[in-house]
Amino acid sequence: MKSQKLGLLALLTMLALTLAVAPGCKKKMPKEGDRPEDGGKKIEEVTGGEDKDGTTEDKISEMERDLALIKVVYFDYDKSELRADGREAVRNNADLLRKWPDWKVTLEGHCDERGTNEYNLALGERRARAAQRALEAEGIASSRIRTISYGEERPSDPGHTETSWSRNRRAEFRVDVH
Amino acid sequence: MSLSSIRPRVLSLVLLLLLTACSAVAQITLRTETASVGRLELVVYPFTPDGDAAFIGELPVQLSDLVKGDLTYSGYFNIVSPSDLPPDTTVQVKRVDGKLDSLVTFSGSTAARVRGTVSLGWDMARASIAIFQPPLREPIHLSEFSFKADKARDAAHDIAAWITRMLTGEEGAFTSQVVFVVKTGQNKDLWMMDWDGANAHSLTRDQTLNMSPTWSPDGKHLYFTSFRNGDADIYRYDLASGSVRPFVQTPRTDSAPSVSPDGQWVAYASSESGNFEVYRVHPDGSGKTQLTFNGRDDTSPSWSPTARELVFTSDRSGSPQIYIVDFEGVDTRRLTFDGNYNETARWSPRGDLIAWCSRESDLYPKFQVFTVMPNGGRERRLTEGGNKFDCSWSPDGMKIVYTSQQDGKTSIWTMNWDGSGARQLTFGLEASQPQWGPAVPFTTP
């Protein structure tokens, strides 16, 4: 996890440097499905803000803020169907992905520790794919989505109670900001 | 009758009956025969020095203790202490013609006896081992074993294997090793140890997830699942060189490798088609064949000893259950019906039993190890208490290695095929997913 965070930081830093030192860089076009009031406009700000001091930092801090708004989808025990709160989380994340059309997302399926390692790889994959289908139903292009299953190997909560397990039965959205 | 001598014969009988008669007859045969199982009585005398006793030191007794420990652990023998043997009796016998009296000694026990002497050179030692079978006064088997003096443990495994082969015809598992997985933080590495838990050491140190290792039948390679390239793929580990090469790499999850006993095929599970299906492929990557076809998940394949069938897990019924599919992927039959979570089935190298793990509670992790005949008969629970999972058979089919979770600790244990003789092999490691490898001799007698 730490390395992923570092990687994200590195990406953001690179983005900042690129934007700061490349005044002639090509203007990025909003993609299909972008809502002009958020995604399109913000992109405009990024590319148009090259000659204005501070805008790049604003942009990055906004992106960081939005990254923090990405939600985790949680599942019921032994299940891979999305619950109501899971569908809500997918809608929330789809909005953010529409706003940031350069974002790509890796959906990580996870399980609690009560199954076997092998079967949990399959269950985790079903959860990641359920989240993928819901995201595609929200209009996010499948080319922006990758899935991976970690089974029970990467718990977010190391505990051994139902509270911990309910936090570990999840699909995480790992965003690659490019 | 000893277990060792009857079990193979029973098995061939059972197999014959399975082929020729109805399965019910086979079940009854096995049940009747196993009820009369006993162990071969054996006396192992402390080995003695051959040469300067002061120079040879403790080595002889150390060696005989190790041999005794191995033979006890093997499950074939009941090791009897010499002091527990009934005394020999000598009687005077009068011949029928009345002309001569003679003295005849009767052994108090017909248990076979092992005696040994050990000589020591600069760094090489030599053990001469003899097996006696009363009332015969001459040894019925003799052999010599040369070994480096600091490798007494390996030599003991070879000696115990030889004694077992001579007395029972069985190869045993004395010289086999167990590969397993150790969790450190968020990472998992492959480790190896001897069949008795000695010499545990790590094979990988990768800062990634390495899991689900399995052996090639010649003991030269391991196949395992690793996340080293992002998602789960299958890799091959060369034990001689320590090198790792990708084996099955699709953009989706590839896992749960199992090599056929003839070494010709590697079965595995992959979600490349969208959901998990079982495939088989040659070790050189050719001849890929899909064996399961349905919209649900199929995983955890394990070969029958003849490579004619595979046992695997499928949730096509709505919950994970054990099934058997034939080599062509044509005929599939369901093996388990009790419980809502049956997984990690492994076929005994003797062919007679399939071990698997069944979850007994939804409320907390609680698996137990079970066995069943391939025809679904004689389902039997082997473990109780705690959380026992990840079973794998010893190469001689006499023992099962498994993971036990108790009091927050995860460690590897073995037990005999009937659930008796549980023994802890790992200490102080978060160890799981043990897979028992083939018996490969350490030295040449």
Side-chain angles (χ1 to χ4, degrees), chain B residues 263-391:
Chain B
Q264 294 295 305
W265 295 95
V266 182
Y268 64 96
S270 172
S271 61
E272 62 173 292
S273 71
N275 58 299
F276 277 65
E277 304 284 3
V278 174
Y279 300 81
R280 61 175 154 83
V281 66
H282 286 303
D284 66 4
S286 69
K288 185 178 145 191
T289 309
Q290 186 171 344
L291 298 179
T292 59
F293 305 85
N294 65 84
R296 305 292 296 219
D297 288 322
D298 305 285
T299 185
S300 300
S302 164
W303 292 86
S304 75
T306 60
R308 267 302 305 154
E309 293 182 305
L310 298 102
V311 64
F312 67 101
T313 304
S314 175
D315 71 341
R316 60 188 68 183
S317 71
S319 65
Q321 299 291 340
I322 309 297
Y323 294 76
I324 292 174
V325 64
D326 63 8
F327 179 80
E328 289 79 16
V330 175
D331 281 333
T332 306
R333 65 182 197 271
R334 183 171 169 177
L335 191 62
T336 59
F337 294 90
D338 297 333
N340 64 2
Y341 204 121
N342 294 300
E343 230 275 87
T344 52
R346 297 288 183 269
W347 211 310
S348 158
R350 289 178 188 259
D352 57 340
L353 292 172
I354 290 166
W356 85 97
C357 304
S358 182
R359 194 167 69 188
E360 295 203 315
S361 168
D362 286 352
L363 301 178
Y364 47 99
K366 189 171 171 41
F367 283 88
Q368 298 297 341
V369 181
F370 287 70
T371 55
V372 68
M373 288 172 65
N375 65 2
R378 277 204 93 224
E379 187 174 310
R380 179 171 178 171
R381 175 186 160 147
L382 302 188
T383 57
E384 55 186 28
N387 181 24
K388 316 263 166 69
F389 51 102
D390 291 341
C391 46

Side-chain angles (χ1 to χ4, degrees), chain B residues 30-47:
Chain B
L30 189 64
R31 189 178 301 126
T32 312
E33 296 289 348
T34 50
S36 64
V37 153
R39 292 181 184 190
L40 202 58
E41 281 203 335
L42 185 66
V43 183
V44 180
Y45 290 96
F47 296 170

Side-chain angles (χ1 to χ4, degrees), chain B residues 123-264:
Chain B
D123 61 341
M124 291 297 288
R126 177 178 290 263
S128 302
I129 312 296
I131 304 173
F132 295 83
Q133 180 61 70
L136 302 176
R137 291 178 180 280
E138 295 299 314
I140 55 169
H141 301 291
L142 270 171
S143 191
E144 294 212 325
F145 298 82
S146 293
F147 57 98
K148 283 197 167 162
D150 59 352
K151 296 279 182 194
R153 182 172 282 276
D154 290 355
H157 295 328
D158 277 339
I159 293 167
W162 173 76
I163 292 168
T164 304
R165 197 180 311 126
M166 291 300 115
L167 289 176
T168 72
E170 295 282 329
E171 285 301 317
F174 303 94
T175 56
S176 61
Q177 292 184 294
V178 176
V179 64
F180 59 104
V181 169
V182 171
K183 186 176 179 194
T184 315
Q186 291 267 32
N187 298 318
K188 285 184 168 180
D189 279 304
L190 304 188
W191 281 57
M192 188 74 88
M193 62 183 164
D194 293 349
W195 81 312
D196 54 1
N199 297 322
H201 62 281
S202 69
L203 299 178
T204 63
R205 283 175 202 183
D206 291 332
Q207 304 292 311
T208 184
L209 284 167
N210 298 309
M211 49 189 277
S212 307
T214 193
W215 291 80
S216 66
D218 60 6
K220 291 180 176 166
H221 296 103
L222 302 171
Y223 292 81
F224 66 105
T225 304
S226 176
F227 284 75
R228 62 187 58 205
N229 195 28
D231 65 339
D233 293 314
I234 300 170
Y235 293 80
R236 180 167 52 210
Y237 183 99
D238 182 87
L239 280 161
S241 69
S243 70
V244 174
R245 288 171 190 279
F247 181 65
V248 177
Q249 264 186 324
T250 72
R252 293 196 178 276
T253 300
D254 311 297
S255 67
S258 168
V259 190
S260 63
D262 58 9
Q264 294 295 305

Side-chain angles (χ1 to χ4, degrees), chain A residues 1 77-78 113-122 125-126 129 146-150 153-155 165, chain B residues 186 188 209 211-212 227 230-231 252-253 255-256 271 274 276 297 300 315 341 343 359 362-363 367:
Chain A
M1 297 304 112
Y77 174 63
D78 266 359
E113 62 177 339
R114 282 176 288 178
T116 62
N117 301 83
E118 286 303 336
Y119 186 75
N120 273 340
L121 278 179
E125 183 127 336
R126 282 208 295 278
R129 287 172 56 73
R146 239 182 107 232
T147 59
I148 183 172
S149 174
Y150 280 106
E153 313 300 332
R154 291 272 192 259
W165 293 329
Chain B
Q186 291 267 32
K188 285 184 168 180
L209 284 167
M211 49 189 277
S212 307
F227 284 75
D231 65 339
R252 293 196 178 276
T253 300
S255 67
S271 61
F276 277 65
D297 288 322
S300 300
D315 71 341
Y341 204 121
E343 230 275 87
R359 194 167 69 188
D362 286 352
L363 301 178
F367 283 88

